[in-house]
Amino acid sequence: MNNSDSILDRISLTRRHLLGTLAVAAASSVPIAAYAQAASAASSTATAQAIADHFSSVATMQGEFVQFGPRGEQTGGKFYIQRPGKLRFNYDNPSPIRVIADGKNVAVGNMKLKTWDLYPLSKTPLSLLLAQHIDLSAGSVKSVKQESDLTTIALGNNTVFGNSTITMMFDPKTYDLRQWTITDNQGKDTSVMVFNVKTGVQFDDKVFKVPYEVIPGTAAYRD
């Protein structure tokens, strides 16, 4: 996902033994290293899954955002999320952009030019963010970085949306979402910071309605 143009680590273990212990080291250092690496990966995945479970348990949320585009541009606005698959971004003036996901597609509209671009939700990293349940067991975790003030989880699925990834940043204590960054196939980042977030809100169905009636070639999606 972007604004007007369309919205981690290694563990190594080395040991050196002298003289007669070299033979023992040759037999034992590899499984020890492999075990340590596997244990660390399992711990990171477990942490990521716990955070993902908490995040995906939040059915609805709304708040404000600041978006930083790949060319350094900055915009803000309000966002709305409803699981599964629904999202809306209303950008503040003077930006004419609206982004709406209705569970099937992501529509990016330019209100000034009265144009819309449509993308299958399943082919975008937003499908991970908006899933009913974020299941990380299928190898979608690229990396997990745990710090005292932030836990960063990078997700991707090459078979679905190529080299694009979504990196989500959470409060390590509350597991609340603070920011996400989408990196596209060209390596360009679009970051979104969220604040003043409210959960458990109810939305009118119109909030996530994609105007298929004004988008050419979308008759099959119309109610």
Side-chain angles (χ1 to χ4, degrees):
M1 181 183 65
N2 54 39
N3 187 11
S4 59
D5 291 335
S6 0
I7 255 154
L8 342 111
D9 283 26
R10 297 185 185 92
I11 294 176
S12 62
L13 181 62
T14 58
R15 293 170 180 261
R16 187 171 183 177
H17 299 264
L18 298 174
L19 301 173
T21 62
L22 285 174
V24 177
S28 63
S29 62
V30 171
I32 290 173
Y35 176 80
Q37 204 166 28
S40 176
S43 176
S44 294
T45 300
T47 298
Q49 188 62 66
I51 293 175
D53 288 346
H54 172 80
F55 178 60
S56 59
S57 71
V58 180
T60 61
M61 66 175 67
Q62 70 177 41
E64 299 176 66
F65 71 88
V66 176
Q67 176 175 303
F68 302 91
R71 296 186 301 276
E73 65 274 25
Q74 179 177 331
T75 54
K78 293 180 171 57
F79 76 92
Y80 312 86
I81 289 176
Q82 179 174 301
R83 298 183 191 282
K86 296 181 179 180
L87 170 147
R88 184 184 183 103
F89 270 49
N90 290 343
Y91 290 83
D92 291 338
N93 291 329
S95 173
I97 301 302
R98 297 288 183 273
V99 178
I100 306 172
D102 64 354
K104 296 177 291 187
N105 297 294
V106 180
V108 181
N110 186 313
M111 301 298 98
K112 182 178 180 179
L113 299 179
K114 301 186 184 304
T115 60
W116 289 88
D117 294 310
L118 202 65
Y119 309 91
L121 175 62
S122 62
K123 299 299 182 181
T124 74
L126 283 175
S127 61
L128 289 173
L129 180 71
L130 301 175
Q132 182 74 61
H133 173 66
I134 303 174
D135 184 3
L136 304 183
S137 62
S140 58
V141 180
K142 299 231 178 238
S143 62
V144 179
K145 184 177 181 180
Q146 300 181 65
E147 300 174 289
S148 61
D149 59 344
L150 209 61
T151 297
T152 303
I153 304 172
L155 304 174
N157 188 329
N158 291 340
T159 63
V160 177
F161 38 80
N163 293 323
S164 296
T165 61
I166 182 167
T167 303
M168 298 189 290
M169 301 179 183
F170 297 87
D171 185 299
K173 296 180 180 179
T174 65
Y175 291 176
D176 290 339
L177 179 67
R178 298 299 184 214
Q179 176 179 328
W180 70 80
T181 297
I182 292 180
T183 305
D184 65 19
N185 286 320
Q186 297 178 332
K188 296 180 179 180
D189 293 339
T190 299
S191 297
V192 178
M193 298 178 62
V194 299
F195 56 98
N196 292 337
V197 176
K198 296 180 181 179
T199 61
V201 294
Q202 293 194 357
F203 301 117
D204 189 291
D205 290 341
K206 294 179 181 179
V207 172
F208 307 107
K209 185 179 184 302
V210 173
Y212 292 113
E213 64 276 5
V214 299
I215 306 177
T218 61
Y221 296 111
R222 300 175 195 176
D223 295 333

